[in-house]
């Protein structure tokens, strides 16, 4: 696989703005860069918009070649063919309150490119294939 570009990687783990699985933002900073065209994180609040430039999605964006897609809210996911839902719940509100934000609505799925937020989908539900296609529209 050395030197090959990977089209799309999907990570599905318990997450927060500060971590995904057992990988914290601090640990993510130590990871090697990978030649990945797009990364999709299916994890609660991994792209929480109140932490846009400090969340785990932002840290992973620094480690891949292409865009990273993550949820602003809590994720509900039942399988590969089903839509992945981003919603507001108690956990989302706890993170919002910790950031001292007054937002009432979840931004849905967010795409990070370079080191800035590139695009808001405006959608609360997307399938993994829709996310791959959406991020593919922005590949250079």
């Amino acid at each position: 696989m050395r030197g090959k570009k990977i089209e799309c990687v999907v990570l599905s783990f318990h997450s927060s703005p500060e971590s995904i699985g057992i990988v914290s933002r601090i640990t993510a900073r130590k990871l090697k860069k990978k030649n990945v065209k797009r990364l999709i994180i299916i994890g609660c609040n991994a792209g929480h918009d109140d932490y846009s430039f400090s969340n785990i999605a932002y840290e992973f964006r620094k480690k891949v070649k292409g865009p990273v897609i993550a949820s602003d809210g809590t994720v509900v996911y039942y399988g590969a063919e089903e839509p992945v839902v981003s919603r507001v719940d108690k956990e989302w509100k706890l993170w919002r309150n910790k950031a001292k934000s007054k937002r009432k609505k979840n931004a849905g799925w967010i795409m990070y490119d370079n080191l800035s937020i590139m695009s808001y989908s405006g959608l609360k539900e997307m399938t993994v294939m829709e996310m791959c296609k959406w991020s593919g529209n922005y590949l250079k």
Side-chain angles (χ1 to χ4, degrees):
M1 286 269 320
R2 192 171 287 255
K4 301 250 183 203
K5 188 168 241 181
I6 299 167
E7 287 293 320
C8 186
V9 172
V10 179
L11 299 177
S12 182
F13 290 94
H14 290 290
S15 301
S16 75
E18 297 178 345
S19 66
I20 179 169
I22 61 169
V23 179
S24 70
R25 290 178 312 172
I26 307 310
T27 306
R29 291 177 190 144
K30 298 175 186 174
L31 296 173
K32 292 180 183 177
K33 289 187 178 185
K34 294 295 178 184
N35 198 10
V36 174
K37 273 189 166 179
R38 58 184 77 87
L39 173 66
I40 298 169
I41 300 175
I42 298 176
C44 298
N45 302 297
H48 201 296
D49 202 25
D50 292 318
Y51 301 85
S52 294
F53 299 104
S54 63
N55 64 38
I56 193 72
Y58 179 78
E59 293 300 335
F60 268 89
R61 176 57 193 96
K62 296 175 190 176
K63 300 299 178 179
V64 298
K65 296 276 185 187
V68 173
I69 295 176
S71 172
D72 176 33
T74 299
V75 170
V76 179
Y77 183 50
Y78 296 109
E81 301 298 318
E82 298 295 318
V84 189
V85 179
S86 176
R87 69 178 188 193
V88 169
D89 74 348
K90 185 173 80 173
E91 283 298 310
W92 182 87
K93 289 176 182 175
L94 287 171
W95 285 107
R96 177 203 59 193
N97 294 344
K98 185 176 177 184
K100 296 182 171 67
S101 172
K102 303 226 185 283
R103 284 191 312 134
K104 303 248 188 267
K105 294 186 177 180
N106 159 356
W109 293 94
I110 300 173
M111 186 181 338
Y112 295 79
D113 191 24
N114 298 318
L115 296 177
S116 63
I117 295 174
M118 184 173 165
S119 184
Y120 289 87
S121 71
L123 300 173
K124 303 292 190 291
E125 295 184 18
M126 294 179 84
T127 65
V128 170
M129 288 307 297
E130 288 170 334
M131 290 181 208
C132 285
K133 288 176 186 170
W134 177 46
S135 61
N137 290 335
Y138 295 94
L139 294 176
K140 291 151 181 81

